[in-house]
PDB file of all heavy atoms in Angstrom:
ATOM      1  N   PRO A  65      22.996 -34.510  57.681  1.00 80.00           N
ATOM      2  CA  PRO A  65      21.801 -33.744  57.125  1.00 80.00           C
ATOM      3  C   PRO A  65      21.753 -32.439  57.919  1.00 80.00           C
ATOM      4  O   PRO A  65      21.089 -31.478  57.336  1.00 80.00           O
ATOM      5  CB  PRO A  65      20.665 -34.588  57.408  1.00 80.00           C
ATOM      6  CG  PRO A  65      21.098 -35.959  57.507  1.00 80.00           C
ATOM      7  CD  PRO A  65      22.519 -35.863  58.103  1.00 80.00           C
ATOM      8  N   THR A  66      22.134 -32.349  59.112  1.00 83.00           N
ATOM      9  CA  THR A  66      22.079 -31.106  59.947  1.00 83.00           C
ATOM     10  C   THR A  66      23.305 -30.303  59.832  1.00 83.00           C
ATOM     11  O   THR A  66      23.455 -29.218  60.420  1.00 83.00           O
ATOM     12  CB  THR A  66      21.844 -31.434  61.416  1.00 83.00           C
ATOM     13  OG1 THR A  66      22.862 -32.306  61.904  1.00 83.00           O
ATOM     14  CG2 THR A  66      20.447 -32.217  61.590  1.00 83.00           C
ATOM     15  N   ALA A  67      24.304 -30.523  58.898  1.00 84.00           N
ATOM     16  CA  ALA A  67      25.539 -29.870  58.833  1.00 84.00           C
ATOM     17  C   ALA A  67      25.125 -28.450  58.364  1.00 84.00           C
ATOM     18  O   ALA A  67      24.261 -28.222  57.478  1.00 84.00           O
ATOM     19  CB  ALA A  67      26.412 -30.567  57.722  1.00 84.00           C
ATOM     20  N   SER A  68      25.848 -27.515  58.960  1.00 84.00           N
ATOM     21  CA  SER A  68      25.583 -26.059  58.532  1.00 84.00           C
ATOM     22  C   SER A  68      26.261 -25.790  57.161  1.00 84.00           C
ATOM     23  O   SER A  68      27.003 -26.556  56.613  1.00 84.00           O
ATOM     24  CB  SER A  68      26.256 -25.107  59.592  1.00 84.00           C
ATOM     25  OG  SER A  68      27.647 -25.208  59.494  1.00 84.00           O
ATOM     26  N   VAL A  69      25.759 -24.657  56.594  1.00 82.00           N
ATOM     27  CA  VAL A  69      26.292 -24.231  55.224  1.00 82.00           C
ATOM     28  C   VAL A  69      27.750 -24.027  55.212  1.00 82.00           C
ATOM     29  O   VAL A  69      28.438 -24.482  54.320  1.00 82.00           O
ATOM     30  CB  VAL A  69      25.536 -22.995  54.837  1.00 82.00           C
ATOM     31  CG1 VAL A  69      26.153 -22.384  53.577  1.00 82.00           C
ATOM     32  CG2 VAL A  69      24.052 -23.147  54.642  1.00 82.00           C
ATOM     33  N   SER A  70      28.291 -23.453  56.355  1.00 82.00           N
ATOM     34  CA  SER A  70      29.634 -23.257  56.500  1.00 82.00           C
ATOM     35  C   SER A  70      30.480 -24.671  56.442  1.00 82.00           C
ATOM     36  O   SER A  70      31.570 -24.699  55.861  1.00 82.00           O
ATOM     37  CB  SER A  70      30.130 -22.455  57.705  1.00 82.00           C
ATOM     38  OG  SER A  70      29.757 -22.997  58.819  1.00 82.00           O
ATOM     39  N   GLU A  71      29.981 -25.661  57.118  1.00 84.00           N
ATOM     40  CA  GLU A  71      30.540 -26.972  57.157  1.00 84.00           C
ATOM     41  C   GLU A  71      30.506 -27.547  55.722  1.00 84.00           C
ATOM     42  O   GLU A  71      31.470 -28.088  55.207  1.00 84.00           O
ATOM     43  CB  GLU A  71      29.971 -27.839  58.200  1.00 84.00           C
ATOM     44  CG  GLU A  71      30.112 -27.386  59.597  1.00 84.00           C
ATOM     45  CD  GLU A  71      29.135 -28.326  60.530  1.00 84.00           C
ATOM     46  OE1 GLU A  71      28.177 -28.873  60.131  1.00 84.00           O
ATOM     47  OE2 GLU A  71      29.557 -28.409  61.704  1.00 84.00           O
ATOM     48  N   GLN A  72      29.396 -27.446  55.117  1.00 84.00           N
ATOM     49  CA  GLN A  72      29.268 -27.935  53.715  1.00 84.00           C
ATOM     50  C   GLN A  72      30.195 -27.280  52.752  1.00 84.00           C
ATOM     51  O   GLN A  72      30.891 -27.954  51.927  1.00 84.00           O
ATOM     52  CB  GLN A  72      27.751 -27.793  53.128  1.00 84.00           C
ATOM     53  CG  GLN A  72      26.778 -28.656  53.941  1.00 84.00           C
ATOM     54  CD  GLN A  72      25.404 -28.342  53.546  1.00 84.00           C
ATOM     55  OE1 GLN A  72      25.219 -27.829  52.496  1.00 84.00           O
ATOM     56  NE2 GLN A  72      24.407 -28.780  54.367  1.00 84.00           N
ATOM     57  N   ALA A  73      30.304 -25.939  52.765  1.00 84.00           N
ATOM     58  CA  ALA A  73      31.240 -25.223  51.957  1.00 84.00           C
ATOM     59  C   ALA A  73      32.523 -25.531  52.230  1.00 84.00           C
ATOM     60  O   ALA A  73      33.469 -25.698  51.341  1.00 84.00           O
ATOM     61  CB  ALA A  73      30.851 -23.730  52.197  1.00 84.00           C
ATOM     62  N   ALA A  74      32.941 -25.745  53.493  1.00 83.00           N
ATOM     63  CA  ALA A  74      34.358 -26.063  53.812  1.00 83.00           C
ATOM     64  C   ALA A  74      34.671 -27.431  53.299  1.00 83.00           C
ATOM     65  O   ALA A  74      35.789 -27.548  52.833  1.00 83.00           O
ATOM     66  CB  ALA A  74      34.511 -26.027  55.460  1.00 83.00           C
ATOM     67  N   ALA A  75      33.782 -28.407  53.353  1.00 84.00           N
ATOM     68  CA  ALA A  75      34.077 -29.794  52.818  1.00 84.00           C
ATOM     69  C   ALA A  75      34.188 -29.691  51.307  1.00 84.00           C
ATOM     70  O   ALA A  75      35.122 -30.416  50.758  1.00 84.00           O
ATOM     71  CB  ALA A  75      32.899 -30.633  53.217  1.00 84.00           C
ATOM     72  N   LEU A  76      33.397 -28.912  50.638  1.00 84.00           N
ATOM     73  CA  LEU A  76      33.588 -28.813  49.158  1.00 84.00           C
ATOM     74  C   LEU A  76      34.777 -28.039  48.876  1.00 84.00           C
ATOM     75  O   LEU A  76      35.489 -28.471  47.841  1.00 84.00           O
ATOM     76  CB  LEU A  76      32.371 -28.019  48.625  1.00 84.00           C
ATOM     77  CG  LEU A  76      30.987 -28.597  48.699  1.00 84.00           C
ATOM     78  CD1 LEU A  76      29.938 -27.626  48.298  1.00 84.00           C
ATOM     79  CD2 LEU A  76      31.038 -29.825  47.702  1.00 84.00           C
ATOM     80  N   HIS A  77      35.172 -27.055  49.621  1.00 82.00           N
ATOM     81  CA  HIS A  77      36.366 -26.174  49.325  1.00 82.00           C
ATOM     82  C   HIS A  77      37.641 -27.135  49.422  1.00 82.00           C
ATOM     83  O   HIS A  77      38.590 -27.052  48.686  1.00 82.00           O
ATOM     84  CB  HIS A  77      36.492 -25.043  50.203  1.00 82.00           C
ATOM     85  CG  HIS A  77      37.366 -23.947  49.634  1.00 82.00           C
ATOM     86  ND1 HIS A  77      38.783 -24.055  49.863  1.00 82.00           N
ATOM     87  CD2 HIS A  77      37.154 -22.947  48.858  1.00 82.00           C
ATOM     88  CE1 HIS A  77      39.269 -22.936  49.370  1.00 82.00           C
ATOM     89  NE2 HIS A  77      38.329 -22.253  48.669  1.00 82.00           N
ATOM     90  N   LYS A  78      37.684 -27.911  50.483  1.00 84.00           N
ATOM     91  CA  LYS A  78      38.715 -28.799  50.789  1.00 84.00           C
ATOM     92  C   LYS A  78      39.024 -29.874  49.668  1.00 84.00           C
ATOM     93  O   LYS A  78      40.170 -30.109  49.466  1.00 84.00           O
ATOM     94  CB  LYS A  78      38.390 -29.633  52.127  1.00 84.00           C
ATOM     95  CG  LYS A  78      39.566 -30.393  52.592  1.00 84.00           C
ATOM     96  CD  LYS A  78      39.117 -30.988  54.023  1.00 84.00           C
ATOM     97  CE  LYS A  78      40.249 -31.781  54.640  1.00 84.00           C
ATOM     98  NZ  LYS A  78      39.784 -32.441  55.938  1.00 84.00           N
ATOM     99  N   ARG A  79      38.033 -30.286  48.984  1.00 81.00           N
ATOM    100  CA  ARG A  79      38.187 -31.233  47.945  1.00 81.00           C
ATOM    101  C   ARG A  79      38.322 -30.603  46.471  1.00 81.00           C
ATOM    102  O   ARG A  79      38.346 -31.262  45.386  1.00 81.00           O
ATOM    103  CB  ARG A  79      36.971 -32.164  47.864  1.00 81.00           C
ATOM    104  CG  ARG A  79      36.737 -33.047  49.124  1.00 81.00           C
ATOM    105  CD  ARG A  79      37.777 -34.060  49.363  1.00 81.00           C
ATOM    106  NE  ARG A  79      37.659 -35.179  48.369  1.00 81.00           N
ATOM    107  CZ  ARG A  79      36.772 -36.204  48.530  1.00 81.00           C
ATOM    108  NH1 ARG A  79      36.301 -36.383  49.689  1.00 81.00           N
ATOM    109  NH2 ARG A  79      36.718 -37.138  47.645  1.00 81.00           N
ATOM    110  N   GLY A  80      38.340 -29.169  46.512  1.00 81.00           N
ATOM    111  CA  GLY A  80      38.731 -28.570  45.290  1.00 81.00           C
ATOM    112  C   GLY A  80      37.451 -27.999  44.543  1.00 81.00           C
ATOM    113  O   GLY A  80      37.537 -27.607  43.280  1.00 81.00           O
ATOM    114  N   TYR A  81      36.299 -28.101  45.083  1.00 81.00           N
ATOM    115  CA  TYR A  81      35.030 -27.619  44.562  1.00 81.00           C
ATOM    116  C   TYR A  81      34.844 -26.120  45.009  1.00 81.00           C
ATOM    117  O   TYR A  81      33.844 -25.910  45.707  1.00 81.00           O
ATOM    118  CB  TYR A  81      33.825 -28.552  44.879  1.00 81.00           C
ATOM    119  CG  TYR A  81      33.991 -29.930  44.283  1.00 81.00           C
ATOM    120  CD1 TYR A  81      34.583 -30.902  44.946  1.00 81.00           C
ATOM    121  CD2 TYR A  81      33.493 -30.091  43.017  1.00 81.00           C
ATOM    122  CE1 TYR A  81      34.646 -32.178  44.342  1.00 81.00           C
ATOM    123  CE2 TYR A  81      33.661 -31.362  42.417  1.00 81.00           C
ATOM    124  CZ  TYR A  81      34.220 -32.396  43.126  1.00 81.00           C
ATOM    125  OH  TYR A  81      34.211 -33.580  42.421  1.00 81.00           O
ATOM    126  N   PHE A  82      35.651 -25.366  44.431  1.00 84.00           N
ATOM    127  CA  PHE A  82      35.638 -23.981  44.877  1.00 84.00           C
ATOM    128  C   PHE A  82      34.338 -23.138  44.476  1.00 84.00           C
ATOM    129  O   PHE A  82      33.736 -22.626  45.251  1.00 84.00           O
ATOM    130  CB  PHE A  82      36.864 -23.227  44.376  1.00 84.00           C
ATOM    131  CG  PHE A  82      38.178 -23.763  44.787  1.00 84.00           C
ATOM    132  CD1 PHE A  82      38.992 -24.412  43.779  1.00 84.00           C
ATOM    133  CD2 PHE A  82      38.584 -23.954  46.111  1.00 84.00           C
ATOM    134  CE1 PHE A  82      40.159 -24.962  44.167  1.00 84.00           C
ATOM    135  CE2 PHE A  82      39.596 -24.516  46.450  1.00 84.00           C
ATOM    136  CZ  PHE A  82      40.526 -25.126  45.511  1.00 84.00           C
ATOM    137  N   GLN A  83      33.911 -23.355  43.211  1.00 85.00           N
ATOM    138  CA  GLN A  83      32.752 -22.793  42.697  1.00 85.00           C
ATOM    139  C   GLN A  83      31.573 -23.176  43.331  1.00 85.00           C
ATOM    140  O   GLN A  83      30.735 -22.430  43.629  1.00 85.00           O
ATOM    141  CB  GLN A  83      32.699 -22.962  41.114  1.00 85.00           C
ATOM    142  CG  GLN A  83      33.731 -22.105  40.348  1.00 85.00           C
ATOM    143  CD  GLN A  83      33.583 -22.526  38.840  1.00 85.00           C
ATOM    144  OE1 GLN A  83      33.101 -23.539  38.509  1.00 85.00           O
ATOM    145  NE2 GLN A  83      34.133 -21.668  38.074  1.00 85.00           N
ATOM    146  N   GLN A  84      31.461 -24.462  43.574  1.00 84.00           N
ATOM    147  CA  GLN A  84      30.289 -25.114  44.248  1.00 84.00           C
ATOM    148  C   GLN A  84      30.204 -24.541  45.656  1.00 84.00           C
ATOM    149  O   GLN A  84      29.069 -24.272  46.169  1.00 84.00           O
ATOM    150  CB  GLN A  84      30.287 -26.588  44.264  1.00 84.00           C
ATOM    151  CG  GLN A  84      30.055 -27.156  42.879  1.00 84.00           C
ATOM    152  CD  GLN A  84      31.350 -27.254  42.077  1.00 84.00           C
ATOM    153  OE1 GLN A  84      32.404 -26.714  42.339  1.00 84.00           O
ATOM    154  NE2 GLN A  84      31.269 -27.906  40.850  1.00 84.00           N
ATOM    155  N   ALA A  85      31.269 -24.502  46.287  1.00 84.00           N
ATOM    156  CA  ALA A  85      31.231 -23.913  47.677  1.00 84.00           C
ATOM    157  C   ALA A  85      30.797 -22.512  47.726  1.00 84.00           C
ATOM    158  O   ALA A  85      30.061 -22.060  48.594  1.00 84.00           O
ATOM    159  CB  ALA A  85      32.833 -24.058  48.347  1.00 84.00           C
ATOM    160  N   GLN A  86      31.304 -21.720  46.787  1.00 85.00           N
ATOM    161  CA  GLN A  86      30.950 -20.359  46.756  1.00 85.00           C
ATOM    162  C   GLN A  86      29.345 -20.103  46.450  1.00 85.00           C
ATOM    163  O   GLN A  86      28.765 -19.426  47.110  1.00 85.00           O
ATOM    164  CB  GLN A  86      31.726 -19.542  45.703  1.00 85.00           C
ATOM    165  CG  GLN A  86      31.492 -18.060  45.752  1.00 85.00           C
ATOM    166  CD  GLN A  86      32.361 -17.293  44.856  1.00 85.00           C
ATOM    167  OE1 GLN A  86      33.195 -17.861  43.969  1.00 85.00           O
ATOM    168  NE2 GLN A  86      32.455 -16.036  44.942  1.00 85.00           N
ATOM    169  N   ALA A  87      28.977 -21.009  45.383  1.00 86.00           N
ATOM    170  CA  ALA A  87      27.670 -20.964  45.016  1.00 86.00           C
ATOM    171  C   ALA A  87      26.638 -21.340  46.185  1.00 86.00           C
ATOM    172  O   ALA A  87      25.483 -20.783  46.374  1.00 86.00           O
ATOM    173  CB  ALA A  87      27.388 -21.917  43.861  1.00 86.00           C
ATOM    174  N   LEU A  88      27.140 -22.318  47.044  1.00 85.00           N
ATOM    175  CA  LEU A  88      26.340 -22.838  48.183  1.00 85.00           C
ATOM    176  C   LEU A  88      26.247 -21.738  49.206  1.00 85.00           C
ATOM    177  O   LEU A  88      25.124 -21.371  49.750  1.00 85.00           O
ATOM    178  CB  LEU A  88      27.048 -24.064  48.811  1.00 85.00           C
ATOM    179  CG  LEU A  88      26.309 -24.741  49.990  1.00 85.00           C
ATOM    180  CD1 LEU A  88      24.989 -25.243  49.538  1.00 85.00           C
ATOM    181  CD2 LEU A  88      27.288 -25.717  50.698  1.00 85.00           C
TER     182      LEU A  88
END
Side-chain angles (χ1 to χ4, degrees):
T66 58
S68 68
V69 172
S70 60
E71 291 171 337
Q72 293 174 14
L76 290 172
H77 199 277
K78 187 176 182 181
R79 298 289 288 271
Y81 290 93
F82 307 114
Q83 291 177 338
Q84 289 83 351
Q86 185 176 11
L88 182 67

